[in-house]
Amino acid sequence: MTAHRILLTGVFGPFGIKNKYAEGTGMQMELLNNQITRGQGIHSPRQSYWTFPLYLLAENISVPSTVLDFPSWRKFTSELKKGYTHVGINFIPANVYKAGRMARYIREHYPEIKIILGGYGTIIPDLKDIVPCDEICKGEGISWLRNYFDENPAAPIKHPAIFGPAYEYIYGVKGRPSGGIILPGVGCENGCNFCITTHQFNKCYVPFLKTGKEIYDACLKSKIKIGTSGFTIMDENFLKTPLRARQLLEEMARNNMPFVFDIFSSAEVIKQMGVDFLVRLGVRMVWIGVESKANSHEKTKDIDLKALIAELQSKGISVNASAMLFMEHHDKDSLPEDIDWVIGLGSDMIQFMNYTPLPTTTLSERLAREGRLKDMDYRHFHGQGELAFDHPHYKNPRDHFTILKKAFKKKYTTDGPGILNMASTIISGYREAVKDFIDRSSQGLAWNPETLRYEKTDNPVPDEFMLLRIKMMQKMAMNIRMILPASMVYSPNMRARRKARSVIKLYRESLGPLPFANRVLSGLLIISGLVETLRLAMARIRGGESIVRQPPSRRVEYPLSAVTIRHLHRKPVLITPRSTGESLAV
């Protein structure tokens, strides 16, 4: 019997280029520039993330495997020559025709290879008519693959050390990605009618890392292997499992290891846990679904979102609010009001998405019963273009594009660049953290891990962990400070320019003058920003909306060898306790 060997791959590039396999608009491999800082030109941070589920799958099966991330067509076809018994293709609905081309090529040239389809693209009802395959992996993939290869589905899950971005650019300068990715689980219990995540997992949450200790160990593993202390937690509603989050904070405090996190969380659990808890936990940015002024979802019911967002920002936590356009109640009056409402919440950034009835969601099922679903090509199911259903008030597809783009532009011209807003939030939070620390020390207040509040105590002890947290906040402020001159020079209007000047002044008051070396780097950002502005202008002359960047390809064999680990990761870091004896002052 031939030993199994599986290739786990994403779809082939290029990405963001319109051709017969995919669209251009909305299909670049960049979340920020596609859906959040869209239309902000050179101010938009450019990032592309690796297809991290592939690495998690490969790490947790015994079958020898290879991950091929962002392959070109040539690299994909060349890889097939290396002898595989199975190929797993991960894709989203809008990339289904790319998956189809890959599968047809396998069928023609390697008919003995078994084809397994996975990812959110598997929600397509007539998938087998478009993509020839042997199996469709639906739901949670680790246990599915283990069952398929006759392995123990209940075996412990090993979390790999995963780099975050595949690339980073800001004002045209290429950075060195340093973040990590943590995947604690999949699914969501909130059950929003449009959400594919909640429906893909039957409105349940499936944890991979069940305790705070397991998450802490995964972070520590990444710190040792790739030298990162900052992580994006890819979990639809991380704080919805409060005990695990509390345990994570306890582990960090016990070990004096103040990791930093970007998380997704709903408003009602943020209110439950308290903003001070998020500060101690090390949340740098939180993504909150606000959806609509109508507040028809339980996660936002009876919550003053504007006040909550302001409190988070005052404590140094940037907020990305996500809103839905063209919901069924939206008409010529209420849709503009909703756009103004979500901008008025004052979040650092906003993700605007068009209301999309993806297959298998309750929204899609209801619209199908009502005969309102359009017979629309799956390649357009990306939430940044034409609606996939018959809207009672917006019939013209052109409106679906133009109103969405105008919403992004209005946020940009009203509040300025998102990266400037984040810089403002970070320095404000640092100043507030120092002030609060001093006030609590003088008042004899200490953190109570049971109530998640600061309370009066007869025997207060120095809050060494919070000192470490404040030092980490100071470091984040120093890192982002260099973009401020460029954000001012290239401001979209006088309002944003005045805001940039105010933030620069706040940094100077808090951290002192910008060191000479950093002033040089800031000057280089201004120069590169000019070059990027010219490149952007040329891209628009050619009919594009922005500069299209392609992520690099990556190939990793599992099980990992020592040589592979040295190739993938940086030199391991030495972890030592950090001194907490520094004095702090604004």
Side-chain angles (χ1 to χ4, degrees), residues 2 29 49 51 163 196 247 253 323 339 353 380 487 497 533:
T2 303
M29 291 292 108
Y49 282 83
T51 314
F163 266 129
I196 186 55
Q247 292 170 343
I339 293 171
M353 291 287 284
H380 299 298
S487 73
R497 187 166 288 112
T533 299

Side-chain angles (χ1 to χ4, degrees), residues 88-362:
I89 305 174
N90 176 282
F91 65 102
I92 60 175
N95 279 329
V96 65
Y97 298 118
K98 288 192 172 188
R101 184 189 181 194
M102 297 168 81
R104 287 191 298 274
Y105 183 88
I106 295 170
R107 280 284 191 260
E108 180 180 354
H109 297 277
Y110 304 92
E112 72 282 2
I113 291 180
K114 301 294 184 183
I115 300 172
I116 303 172
L117 304 181
Y120 285 120
T122 60
I123 64 175
I124 294 175
D126 53 342
L127 181 58
K128 287 191 174 183
D129 296 333
I130 305 172
V131 187
C133 64
D134 297 284
E135 300 286 349
I136 297 177
C137 169
K138 292 192 175 183
E140 189 271 295
I142 296 175
S143 60
W144 191 97
L145 272 181
R146 285 173 169 175
N147 276 316
Y148 181 81
F149 288 119
D150 294 323
E151 299 180 17
N152 179 12
I157 291 177
K158 298 177 290 183
H159 196 289
I162 308 175
F163 266 129
Y167 64 72
E168 288 182 338
Y169 289 85
I170 186 64
Y171 295 109
V173 172
K174 186 176 183 179
R176 186 181 184 188
S178 59
I181 297 291
I182 300 294
L183 298 98
V186 290
C188 180
E189 299 173 352
N190 276 6
C192 297
N193 68 342
F194 58 83
C195 179
I196 186 55
T197 303
T198 194
H199 291 85
Q200 183 81 330
F201 301 96
N202 299 315
K203 300 182 182 180
C204 295
Y205 179 71
V206 183
F208 296 145
L209 305 176
K210 298 180 181 180
T211 68
K213 177 69 163 59
E214 290 175 348
I215 295 177
Y216 175 82
D217 288 344
C219 293
L220 190 61
K221 177 180 179 179
S222 291
K223 184 173 179 65
I224 293 170
K225 287 193 172 183
I226 62 179
T228 185
S229 295
F231 302 89
T232 297
I233 296 186
M234 297 304 300
D235 189 293
E236 194 76 8
N237 200 346
F238 179 63
L239 298 179
K240 196 76 171 179
T241 311
L243 177 59
R244 186 179 60 180
R246 294 167 70 139
Q247 292 170 343
L248 173 59
L249 175 56
E250 290 170 5
E251 288 296 326
M252 289 191 293
R254 182 180 299 115
N255 293 281
N256 275 345
M257 194 67 67
F259 295 126
V260 177
F261 304 104
D262 295 341
I263 69 171
F264 300 76
S265 193
S266 52
E268 93 280 10
V269 289
I270 294 174
K271 290 287 290 183
Q272 173 191 338
M273 303 298 286
V275 175
D276 283 335
F277 173 79
L278 270 69
V279 173
R280 291 188 74 88
L281 186 64
V283 176
R284 182 191 68 152
M285 189 275 288
V286 60
W287 186 316
I288 304 175
V290 301
E291 317 312 352
S292 168
K293 183 180 180 180
N295 270 350
S296 58
H297 299 89
E298 287 297 321
K299 63 186 181 182
T300 56
K301 191 175 182 180
D302 299 326
I303 294 176
D304 186 338
L305 292 170
K306 185 171 184 176
L308 177 61
I309 289 171
E311 183 183 3
L312 287 162
Q313 291 171 320
S314 72
K315 300 285 188 175
I317 300 173
S318 295
V319 178
N320 178 40
S322 59
M324 285 288 178
L325 305 187
F326 302 102
M327 297 181 79
E328 292 172 272
H329 69 277
H330 282 150
D331 56 25
K332 305 298 182 182
D333 295 321
S334 61
L335 180 54
E337 287 177 3
D338 246 5
I339 293 171
D340 289 343
W341 170 78
V342 70
I343 293 174
L345 294 178
S347 61
D348 300 78
M349 297 171 291
I350 299 175
Q351 180 204 40
F352 287 111
M353 291 287 284
N354 286 350
Y355 204 42
T356 303
L358 289 165
T360 73
T361 62
T362 54

Side-chain angles (χ1 to χ4, degrees), residues 81 172 292 353 370 392 483 560:
K81 299 175 183 177
S292 168
M353 291 287 284
E370 296 172 1
I483 64 92
L560 292 173

